[in-house]
Amino acid sequence: MPANGPAVTAEREVWREALGVVLATSAYGISFGALAVASGLDVWQTCVLSLLMFTGGSQFAFVGVFAAGGVSALPSAIASAALLGVRNVAYGMRMSPIVGTTPRRRVAAAHFTIDESTAVAISQTDPRLRQVGFWVTGIGIFIGWNITTLVGALVGDVLGDPQTWGLDAAAAAAFLALLWPRLKERQAIAVGIAAAVVAASLTPVLMPGLPVLVAAVVAIVVGWFNWLGRGDAPAGGPREGVS
């Protein structure tokens, strides 16, 4: 076998892993596209949101708050999406020495630094394979997510009235589906329960969007003091899932 045989095989494995993540994650874009249109956005606005925001968790949060309050809840929707996107800043600091040393490469990498690209990259031990994992996963999901967003938006636009199909409540259900696999440790469960109780209690008295922001503050406090989390095993890095 040639000297570079093992290296070629390792790179193929990284490509295979990355493309598997790309296919699985991109499929969620159909749900987002349909839910965004059902929430009041048009096809063009939905596609632009995926192009520019490109972080699934924040996009679902934005759509969920916007669906509840419409244009009046837009500031709260933006704030909710921004809070969920803060984690990408931490990913960026972790990935900065991996994606390349030139400012141009780091600027280009910023838009592709999401849960999945970070997870695939840091799961590799070789620096070159980390770069391959990051770029293949990040760019692949960006392309796939935007294609499936368009498909979902067109499908949602054809369906018409969201209440007829129950899509008016689907944004919250979809976001819960994204959250559920992460609730494995006591700390995460404590944060989820505390935030949910606060949001549900304040929903009847505050304008749409604000209960989510107050619940986010509660989640930060619970997480900061690590209530019920002392027995949990330390995390080994970001988990794969919708970004």
Side-chain angles (χ1 to χ4, degrees):
M1 178 180 292
N4 63 346
V8 172
T9 301
E11 184 168 333
R12 287 176 179 171
E13 288 298 320
V14 175
W15 272 82
R16 186 179 293 112
E17 178 183 353
L19 292 177
V21 174
V22 167
L23 292 176
T25 304
S26 296
Y28 283 99
I30 297 177
S31 298
F32 171 74
L35 295 174
V37 170
S39 300
L41 300 179
D42 59 29
V43 175
W44 170 251
Q45 291 168 332
T46 299
C47 292
V48 168
L49 193 62
S50 276
L51 282 168
L52 299 182
M53 186 176 289
F54 185 53
T55 170
S58 295
Q59 291 180 231
F60 276 104
F62 178 91
V63 166
V65 176
F66 182 77
V71 176
S72 62
L74 191 58
S76 298
I78 294 173
S80 299
L83 282 173
L84 279 173
V86 166
R87 73 190 189 282
N88 288 353
V89 176
Y91 294 166
M93 292 187 291
R94 177 68 176 85
M95 297 304 299
S96 180
I98 294 177
V99 298
T101 56
T102 65
R104 181 177 299 179
R105 286 176 66 87
R106 290 179 179 176
V107 169
H111 200 53
F112 306 120
T113 303
I114 55 177
D115 293 350
E116 293 80 10
S117 60
T118 303
V120 173
I122 66 176
S123 67
Q124 313 303 320
T125 56
D126 182 81
R128 186 180 61 83
L129 295 180
R130 286 185 169 185
Q131 290 193 18
V132 172
F134 174 84
W135 289 107
V136 173
T137 306
I139 295 175
I141 292 178
F142 179 77
I143 295 172
W145 180 265
N146 281 281
I147 291 174
T148 54
T149 292
L150 174 60
V151 173
L154 293 174
V155 171
D157 198 37
V158 170
L159 290 178
D161 185 4
Q163 293 185 358
T164 302
W165 306 92
L167 289 177
D168 52 322
F175 194 74
L176 180 61
L178 301 180
L179 175 66
W180 188 261
R182 300 175 184 268
L183 300 180
K184 296 180 180 179
E185 293 85 22
R186 289 177 297 172
Q187 173 67 13
I189 294 173
V191 170
I193 292 176
V197 169
V198 170
S201 301
L202 295 179
T203 295
V205 297
L206 294 181
M207 65 178 293
L210 289 183
V212 175
L213 297 182
V214 176
V217 173
V218 172
I220 292 172
V221 171
V222 174
W224 181 267
F225 289 102
N226 198 31
W227 295 340
L228 300 179
R230 291 183 175 82
D232 293 336
R239 296 184 180 88
E240 293 182 11
V242 173
S243 49

